[in-house]
């Protein structure tokens, strides 16, 4: 019995040290969007490029692996962004996620033009992101709503 107690105590000591560092990450905090540009524009389809700036409140760095997001402007579906992407997320720091959003042109022309002409619009992002560290990733739901100051005619 004595020869098993040393490895068992060593295993318990290692687990006590390692397990507290394996806690679930805190939610990322949205800061702003910038660099909004039209990537392509036609009646068949359109795409926007936008950079989203976030803050990581965690004491450890992470890696963003995938985004799968629907974007709504004043409750009108604007478009979808789904991409495999590798973004390094620094600990306790800001980082930028470059997104390409495929627009729903028919719905946008039918319902969304008046929303885009308003100075303040309600933006909702709904979907999931895959975040992790050291090759271990977990999907987190995203449901973010904010009123943004936006105008096509600045």
């Amino acid at each position: 019995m004595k020869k098993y107690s040393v490895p068992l105590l060593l295993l318990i000591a290692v687990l006590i040290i390692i397990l507290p560092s394996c806690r679930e990450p805190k939610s990322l905090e949205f800061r702003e969007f910038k660099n909004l540009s039209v990537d392509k524009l036609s009646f068949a389809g359109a795409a926007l490029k936008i950079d989203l700036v976030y803050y990581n409140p965690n004491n450890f760095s992470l890696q963003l692996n995938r985004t799968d997001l629907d974007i709504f402007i004043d409750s009108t579906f604007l478009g979808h962004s789904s991409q495999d992407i590798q973004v390094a997320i620094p600990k306790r720091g800001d980082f930028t996620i470059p997104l390409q959003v495929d627009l729903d042109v028919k719905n946008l022309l039918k319902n969304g033009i008046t929303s885009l002409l308003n100075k303040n619009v309600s933006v909702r992002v709904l979907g999931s992101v895959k975040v992790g560290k050291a090759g271990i990733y977990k999907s987190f739901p995203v449901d973010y709503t904010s009123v943004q100051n936006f105008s096509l005619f600045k």
Side-chain angles (χ1 to χ4, degrees):
M1 172 126 166
K2 193 170 188 179
K3 81 176 183 184
Y4 292 113
S5 64
V6 173
L8 182 61
L9 289 175
L10 184 62
L11 177 64
I12 291 172
V14 168
L15 288 176
I16 289 173
I17 293 170
I18 291 176
L19 285 180
S21 66
C22 295
R23 61 180 175 256
E24 192 165 313
K26 296 177 190 173
S27 295
L28 305 174
E29 300 171 8
F30 177 77
R31 296 287 191 200
E32 64 177 330
F33 69 89
K34 60 183 182 179
N35 302 329
L36 176 67
S37 64
V38 177
D39 190 36
K40 70 175 186 173
L41 183 61
S42 70
F43 286 110
L48 290 177
K49 284 189 174 181
I50 187 170
D51 291 337
L52 302 178
V53 179
Y54 279 86
Y55 172 75
N56 178 13
N58 296 295
N59 292 329
F60 47 88
S61 61
L62 295 166
Q63 186 78 24
L64 176 68
N65 184 273
R66 178 168 176 73
T67 63
D68 191 18
L69 305 168
D70 290 328
I71 293 96
F72 298 86
I73 302 287
D74 287 337
S75 300
T76 301
F77 179 72
L78 177 68
H80 181 78
S81 176
S82 180
Q83 55 192 27
D84 291 319
I85 187 170
Q86 294 294 322
V87 175
I89 301 173
K91 66 179 179 178
R92 291 194 201 150
D94 290 338
F95 64 97
T96 302
I97 303 172
L99 283 184
Q100 180 167 335
V101 180
D102 297 319
L103 299 177
D104 181 358
V105 177
K106 293 176 189 172
N107 195 32
L108 180 63
L109 291 174
K110 185 169 66 174
N111 300 320
I113 293 295
T114 55
S115 294
L116 291 176
L117 295 176
N118 292 336
K119 188 168 185 140
N120 292 321
V121 294
S122 173
V123 178
R124 183 174 184 204
V125 179
L126 188 63
S128 65
V129 294
K130 192 180 271 190
V131 177
K133 188 171 180 144
I136 300 171
Y137 295 95
K138 181 178 178 185
S139 289
F140 290 93
V142 173
D143 189 353
Y144 176 78
T145 304
S146 172
V147 175
Q148 297 289 322
N149 187 0
F150 176 78
S151 176
L152 291 175
F153 309 107
K154 288 186 179 180

